[in-house]
Amino acid sequence: MDRARTAALAGRCLLWAGLVVPGLCAGRLGLSEPRPVWQQAAGAGVLAAATALARRRPLAAFALTAALCLADAPALFGLSYGPALAVFALLLGLRAERTGPAALGFAAVAAAGTVRIALGGGDPVPPWLVMTGTLVFGCVLPWLGGRYWRQSRELTAAGWLRAVRLEEEQRLAEERARLRERARTAQDMHDSLGHELSLLALRAGGLQVAPDLPERHRVAVAGLRAAAADATDRLHRIIGVLREDDDEPLPLGPSVWIRPGSRALAPRLAALWSVVRAPPCRPPPPCDARRQTPLPDPA
């Protein structure tokens, strides 16, 4: 923060120094009438005040510089403070948000210059034309350049903001697509592997309680049922990770009530095994028309 303030202060000092140099050198180089030291000091003080106000109140800074130029030359044209007037007109277009105050400021400068020329005596037409040209080319054109610069910066910032928003929307769309793909994969795993593992565990449980199964096969079937139940649980956890939401996990079938050691459902498994072992129903024998006895005639 301190470094930024120091940099801003250094920039203002450099701007002030650059604006004061033409006023100090024009008289010594013979480009304008020589002025007393107090006038040069007063001009430097006015430019310092305008430089201090240029960031927050650019219209006030332009008005101070215009008043200094009118005090120096009624026609508003001079090499001492003309460059400063153009610079502050540029800063007015760059930093002012509205155009109405700037237009009123230009009109006020034109009116004040007209009054100054009229009170000066002599032919007012040539000085008025010079003042008008100076106002147009030394104030309005720099102000338009500042407006263009401001709009260009705003458009650039809006373009970067739009690009950032598009990148964020694209990232969100990719994230949603990835989550949909994960959910679809989890659903496919639930529909295929979960159902098959649950059915395998259920069949192994039914086979385990079969009455005519040898003991060693019963132990092997119990291990198979336990392995199927563990695989179903691991699949359930994997699906929960893939879904990544707060919804209730999808049920994977009856593996939750066929864990090893659960004896309460043994009668149900025995009944299931009896249904599985039951022989299929045989179709009735085909009818023989020759062996059928004719029904008595109701008449």
Side-chain angles (χ1 to χ4, degrees):
M1 191 67 180
D2 296 337
R3 184 177 300 178
R5 291 181 178 178
T6 304
L9 182 60
R12 294 177 185 178
C13 293
L14 290 177
L15 176 62
W16 174 76
L19 297 178
V20 169
V21 167
L24 298 178
C25 297
R28 296 182 180 181
L29 296 177
L31 300 177
S32 63
E33 296 181 0
R35 297 178 183 83
V37 178
W38 68 270
Q39 290 185 0
Q40 296 180 358
V46 172
L47 291 179
T51 304
L53 294 174
R55 179 172 296 275
R56 295 186 178 180
R57 298 182 180 273
L59 184 59
F62 174 77
L64 284 177
T65 310
L68 181 62
C69 291
L70 288 176
D72 180 65
L76 200 65
F77 178 79
L79 297 178
S80 299
Y81 305 112
L85 184 64
V87 169
F88 285 113
L90 176 66
L91 295 179
L92 176 61
L94 178 62
R95 295 172 180 174
E97 297 180 358
R98 298 182 298 173
T99 60
L104 292 178
F106 295 150
V109 171
T114 302
V115 173
R116 179 78 166 79
I117 293 173
L119 294 178
D123 188 6
V125 177
W128 188 84
L129 292 177
V130 173
M131 183 199 66
T132 303
T134 304
L135 189 62
V136 171
F137 294 101
C139 297
V140 177
L141 286 183
W143 175 76
L144 291 177
R147 294 294 300 177
Y148 174 77
W149 191 1
R150 177 186 177 87
Q151 292 178 359
S152 177
R153 292 172 58 181
E154 291 178 353
L155 289 177
T156 303
W160 281 110
L161 182 60
R162 178 63 177 170
V164 171
R165 289 181 178 177
L166 289 177
E167 291 180 357
E168 184 67 17
E169 291 178 359
Q170 183 179 2
R171 187 186 65 81
L172 292 178
E174 292 177 355
E175 185 69 17
R176 287 194 294 268
R178 186 179 66 85
L179 293 179
R180 285 196 299 268
E181 184 65 22
R182 290 167 65 99
R184 188 187 64 82
T185 303
Q187 186 67 30
D188 293 343
M189 294 176 64
H190 166 264
D191 294 340
S192 58
L193 295 179
H195 177 71
E196 296 295 334
L197 289 175
S198 299
L199 187 60
L200 177 62
L202 185 61
R203 289 179 178 178
L207 183 62
Q208 183 182 359
V209 297
D212 55 347
L213 187 68
E215 186 62 27
R216 59 188 184 88
H217 294 299
R218 193 182 305 277
V219 173
V221 170
L224 176 62
R225 180 169 65 89
D230 293 339
T232 304
D233 292 337
R234 286 195 296 271
L235 179 63
H236 185 248
R237 290 192 295 269
I238 293 174
I239 291 177
V241 172
L242 289 177
R243 287 174 62 86
E244 285 188 350
D245 53 13
D246 296 333
D247 298 336
E248 294 185 359
L250 297 174
L252 294 179
S255 62
V256 295
W257 49 270
I258 55 174
R259 297 185 181 279
S262 58
R263 302 180 179 274
L265 298 177
R268 296 185 183 180
L269 295 176
L272 176 64
W273 177 250
S274 62
V275 173
V276 172
R277 292 194 57 188
C281 297
R282 296 180 180 179
C287 298
D288 193 355
R290 293 176 297 177
R291 295 182 180 180
Q292 292 182 352
T293 57
L295 296 176
D297 191 2

